[in-house]
Amino acid sequence: MNILSTNNLTKYYGTKPLLVKTIDGISLEIEHGSFTAIVGTSGSGKSTLLHMLGGLVY
């Protein structure tokens, strides 16, 4: 049973030709009782992903 899921999540900033694809087509499923870590280098979109999953950013 999934406690959280998203399909093809995207977040872009700016406009062409300076378009920045912060989150580009992420699909994620987290099952109840599982341990999940979001890891990556600085500026890779971890905080943006968590803000979007929490409903703070659309």
Side-chain angles (χ1 to χ4, degrees):
M1 177 172 156
N2 291 332
I3 193 166
L4 177 68
S5 66
T6 185
N7 189 25
N8 201 25
L9 188 66
T10 59
K11 178 67 175 174
Y12 301 159
Y13 291 103
T15 57
K16 290 184 179 180
L18 302 175
L19 186 67
V20 177
K21 295 180 178 181
T22 308
I23 304 291
D24 191 22
I26 291 181
S27 296
L28 174 70
E29 292 181 351
I30 299 176
E31 292 190 18
H32 179 74
S34 68
F35 178 82
T36 304
I38 308 295
V39 297
T41 60
S42 178
S44 63
K46 300 177 301 290
S47 294
T48 302
L49 173 63
L50 292 173
H51 287 138
M52 292 182 77
L53 293 174
L56 301 174
V57 176
Y58 55 93

